[in-house]
Amino acid sequence: MSSGPSAAAGSTAAALRHVLSHFVTPLVMCVGMGLAYLGAFHAPEPHDLRVDVVGSGTSAQVLAQTLQDKGDGALIVRTVPDRATAEKHLGTQESYGAYLPGKHPELLVAGASSGTSATVVEEIFTKVAAGQGDPLKVTDTAPTADGDPTGQGIFFLLVAISIGSYASVAVIGGAGAVLALRIRAALTVAVSLVVSLIGVAFAGPVFGLVDHGFGGLWAMAWLYSLGILLIGVGLHVFLKRWTTLGMMVLFVMLNFTTSGGIFRPELQPGIFGALHSFWNGAGFVEGVRSHVYFGGHALGRHVLVLALWCVVGLAVMGAAGLAEGKRRKAAETSSAGSIGASEAGGAQEAGGAQREGRHVGDGARAGADGTEELEEELEETVGV
């Protein structure tokens, strides 16, 4: 009579422990996302933001030095001899604004480089012109496409491609765990291709984020997605249901915040600028900007970043293949030992049937546990 309530209490306690153990992932995500996003975006302040003052006379040099001194590290101000040189610097992203002083002052910016940086520069030189009693004319030498008036469309394209990629990791790594690694690798290539084509459709005919350069954009989207999927599917062999958390850290917390899609490194704390130099999201965002708006300047470096992440992914997949091979050999050795012991013992047929029944039951329970774990992983991934 007493076994019923005690069994129910034990079942409830076990279920509660199971539920509580699953709070680790969302709580770590909460802390990680707060630290990453608020640390990167909550108080953007310029530092070492390069701007030019056009002119070779004493007045231009004095203005440049005054801005440099008053900026207290916010600006790096240089003088350039003429407008053509200033436009060249903007076109190679060596500067983010060029001020032409005079009776009718003008500010040159490259909006496609970073809308937020252009806004900061405009605020600074609007005050400079106002101090001289003149209105400021602003000229955008590299405007974004009509479908991307804020200049942040490429960043949100990055978000869409990233989610499609790391959410697919749970499917290939979890549901596809029974498949050979080479088949999972083939699925990885195929899914990354589909995700990249969806990205191009969003960027072009659906929202018009860019109006040319679709072939190059597709190639970079494919490299970017492939790198994420290779790393994720490989990691799944080692991390299992914790893969979602690992992917969130790598490709959301550290990735979105360092991509330069909202604020460039010159407006963020130093660690984000350091990661910007080699993280894959920055490689995609800066690569697309270079390809579409800046004549391919430094494009090779950005593509190299994306390619190197794919190389890392291949290395992780290789390590996963070795790990699975060792596990398979260990399982085969254990199975062979069990069969030999069973034959040597000469167990009766009835006993063998009972053991088989237990094995089937154990296998069914293991399968049910694996299915439950997969469903939980998919829910966590998609829910995020």
Side-chain angles (χ1 to χ4, degrees), residues 264-291:
R264 289 192 57 82
E266 294 83 5
L267 298 180
Q268 295 181 294
I271 185 173
F272 298 98
L275 294 177
H276 178 85
S277 63
F278 64 89
W279 218 256
N280 62 338
F284 176 76
V285 169
E286 298 295 356
V288 173
R289 283 172 173 167
S290 172
H291 173 61

Side-chain angles (χ1 to χ4, degrees), residues 64-98:
Q65 190 61 52
T66 301
L67 290 171
Q68 178 87 29
D69 295 340
K70 287 185 176 180
D72 192 25
L75 302 176
I76 297 177
V77 189
R78 299 288 184 267
T79 58
V80 296
D82 51 42
R83 184 189 187 104
T85 303
E87 290 180 348
K88 179 181 177 182
H89 286 175
L90 290 169
T92 56
Q93 295 181 287
E94 294 179 53
S95 74
Y96 299 96

Side-chain angles (χ1 to χ4, degrees), residues 63 83 98-108 125-139:
L63 176 60
R83 184 189 187 104
Y99 182 66
L100 289 76
K103 201 169 188 180
H104 302 288
E106 183 179 5
L107 176 66
L108 307 179
F125 284 102
T126 296
K127 295 177 181 178
V128 172
Q132 298 173 346
D134 298 313
L136 180 66
K137 176 185 177 183
V138 180
T139 302

Side-chain angles (χ1 to χ4, degrees), residues 331-368:
E332 290 172 353
T333 301
S334 176
S335 177
S338 298
I339 293 173
S342 176
E343 291 176 350
Q348 294 181 349
E349 183 177 349
Q354 290 175 354
R355 283 196 298 274
E356 183 178 353
R358 285 197 297 271
H359 289 326
V360 171
D362 291 342
R365 284 192 294 274

